[in-house]
Amino acid sequence: MRILISNDDGYFAPGLACLAQHLSAIAEVTVVAPERDRSGASNSLTLNRPLNLRRAASGFYYVDGTPTDCVHLAVTGMLDTQPDIVVSGINSGANMGDDTIYSGTVAAATEGFLLGIPAIAISMAKHEPVHYDTAGKVAVELVQRFMTQTNSHPWLLNVNVPDVPHEQLQGMEVTRLGKRHKAEPVIKSSNPHGQPVYWVGAAGKAQDAGEGTDFFATAQRRVSITPLQIDLTQYSQLDAVRSWLAAEGSPRSGGVPTGVSLAGGRAQ
């Protein structure tokens, strides 16, 4: 099996080294990661300049781009053979609930998934963790399952691991994403020239964290495994939005704006 590893913490991150160490024991591993910390980069691609690929003394490749750039570059141009799976991480800190929208760790895995490859994003459920080795062992267990149990369609799995010794884990649980309270406000400061600058505030605390969520599972010392999808369509609101557009009194109530399709029919 061939595994492509990436992350968003950069090619020097301890979680990346731990992941590569564990997975190289069971498969052929190639590491392509950002040259610096790109946490929060989400699914961004660099389109306004070329990307540079270098190789570090560790053997890891690094790119002056985003996590998505790394996987895209590796799969579509660098590697001679497409990997069997993409594994992103091990991230220093949780990627649960709303975090998944912003996460570069999840984004790297998502890019693999979009290119038709099964993918896993794996994160420690705590910032500045000390038990990366636990997540490394979990990654091996999951990849070995992919080796022996193939699926008809690729899966994109978001995995969060409690920061405890492996023997203290209370099993694995398939979960849904929870939800956080809204983020803390930006923090205003000033630079040495007296000009205002702003730091993005911390993520909100868990709000929807009941049983069945990723937050709940990790709080119980269980590994949270959430299958993700790409389609952001809010299907339950399709009819409501169609009615809103067609309502009397709207700017174009006598008709429907050009290009808008009603009831799944042809565009108007």
Side-chain angles (χ1 to χ4, degrees), residues 28 34 79 140 142 202 228 255 261:
E28 178 184 335
L79 298 175
V140 168
L142 294 175
L228 301 180
S261 175

PDB file of all heavy atoms in Angstrom, residues 28 34 79 140 142 202 228 255 261:
ATOM      1  N   GLU A  28       4.326   1.860   2.184  1.00  0.00           N
ATOM      2  CA  GLU A  28       5.251   2.812   1.553  1.00  0.00           C
ATOM      3  C   GLU A  28       4.693   4.218   1.742  1.00  0.00           C
ATOM      4  O   GLU A  28       3.562   4.498   1.343  1.00  0.00           O
ATOM      5  CB  GLU A  28       5.375   2.484   0.059  1.00  0.00           C
ATOM      6  CG  GLU A  28       6.259   3.425  -0.715  1.00  0.00           C
ATOM      7  CD  GLU A  28       6.254   3.099  -2.201  1.00  0.00           C
ATOM      8  OE1 GLU A  28       5.979   1.939  -2.561  1.00  0.00           O
ATOM      9  OE2 GLU A  28       6.483   4.025  -3.004  1.00  0.00           O
ATOM     10  N   PRO A  34       3.254  21.416   4.139  1.00  0.00           N
ATOM     11  CA  PRO A  34       3.596  22.836   3.995  1.00  0.00           C
ATOM     12  C   PRO A  34       4.927  23.168   4.657  1.00  0.00           C
ATOM     13  O   PRO A  34       5.328  22.536   5.636  1.00  0.00           O
ATOM     14  CB  PRO A  34       2.438  23.556   4.700  1.00  0.00           C
ATOM     15  CG  PRO A  34       1.334  22.563   4.753  1.00  0.00           C
ATOM     16  CD  PRO A  34       1.983  21.230   4.876  1.00  0.00           C
ATOM     17  N   LEU A  79       3.878  12.538  -7.827  1.00  0.00           N
ATOM     18  CA  LEU A  79       4.000  11.087  -7.629  1.00  0.00           C
ATOM     19  C   LEU A  79       3.816  10.338  -8.945  1.00  0.00           C
ATOM     20  O   LEU A  79       2.949  10.683  -9.757  1.00  0.00           O
ATOM     21  CB  LEU A  79       2.956  10.616  -6.607  1.00  0.00           C
ATOM     22  CG  LEU A  79       3.090  11.212  -5.196  1.00  0.00           C
ATOM     23  CD1 LEU A  79       1.918  10.762  -4.318  1.00  0.00           C
ATOM     24  CD2 LEU A  79       4.412  10.779  -4.560  1.00  0.00           C
ATOM     25  N   VAL A 140      -2.604   3.611  12.388  1.00  0.00           N
ATOM     26  CA  VAL A 140      -2.226   2.293  11.872  1.00  0.00           C
ATOM     27  C   VAL A 140      -3.432   1.357  11.853  1.00  0.00           C
ATOM     28  O   VAL A 140      -3.688   0.650  10.867  1.00  0.00           O
ATOM     29  CB  VAL A 140      -1.085   1.696  12.721  1.00  0.00           C
ATOM     30  CG1 VAL A 140      -0.879   0.217  12.377  1.00  0.00           C
ATOM     31  CG2 VAL A 140       0.202   2.475  12.496  1.00  0.00           C
ATOM     32  N   LEU A 142      -6.592   2.077  11.642  1.00  0.00           N
ATOM     33  CA  LEU A 142      -7.573   2.457  10.618  1.00  0.00           C
ATOM     34  C   LEU A 142      -7.070   2.141   9.214  1.00  0.00           C
ATOM     35  O   LEU A 142      -7.825   1.651   8.370  1.00  0.00           O
ATOM     36  CB  LEU A 142      -7.896   3.953  10.749  1.00  0.00           C
ATOM     37  CG  LEU A 142      -8.624   4.347  12.036  1.00  0.00           C
ATOM     38  CD1 LEU A 142      -8.783   5.860  12.112  1.00  0.00           C
ATOM     39  CD2 LEU A 142      -9.989   3.667  12.124  1.00  0.00           C
ATOM     40  N   ALA A 202     -10.264  33.262  19.807  1.00  0.00           N
ATOM     41  CA  ALA A 202     -10.300  31.801  19.946  1.00  0.00           C
ATOM     42  C   ALA A 202     -11.636  31.250  19.475  1.00  0.00           C
ATOM     43  O   ALA A 202     -12.649  31.959  19.430  1.00  0.00           O
ATOM     44  CB  ALA A 202     -10.064  31.427  21.406  1.00  0.00           C
ATOM     45  N   LEU A 228     -17.324  12.395   6.613  1.00  0.00           N
ATOM     46  CA  LEU A 228     -17.674  13.717   6.098  1.00  0.00           C
ATOM     47  C   LEU A 228     -18.122  13.631   4.643  1.00  0.00           C
ATOM     48  O   LEU A 228     -17.806  12.685   3.928  1.00  0.00           O
ATOM     49  CB  LEU A 228     -16.466  14.665   6.183  1.00  0.00           C
ATOM     50  CG  LEU A 228     -15.878  14.908   7.578  1.00  0.00           C
ATOM     51  CD1 LEU A 228     -14.696  15.868   7.470  1.00  0.00           C
ATOM     52  CD2 LEU A 228     -16.928  15.447   8.544  1.00  0.00           C
ATOM     53  N   GLY A 255     -42.079  37.016 -12.652  1.00  0.00           N
ATOM     54  CA  GLY A 255     -41.313  35.946 -13.278  1.00  0.00           C
ATOM     55  C   GLY A 255     -40.216  35.523 -12.343  1.00  0.00           C
ATOM     56  O   GLY A 255     -40.180  35.936 -11.184  1.00  0.00           O
ATOM     57  N   SER A 261     -33.728  27.945 -11.559  1.00  0.00           N
ATOM     58  CA  SER A 261     -34.541  26.806 -11.946  1.00  0.00           C
ATOM     59  C   SER A 261     -35.594  26.558 -10.890  1.00  0.00           C
ATOM     60  O   SER A 261     -35.302  26.530  -9.691  1.00  0.00           O
ATOM     61  CB  SER A 261     -33.648  25.572 -12.102  1.00  0.00           C
ATOM     62  OG  SER A 261     -34.431  24.439 -12.363  1.00  0.00           O
TER      63      SER A 261
END
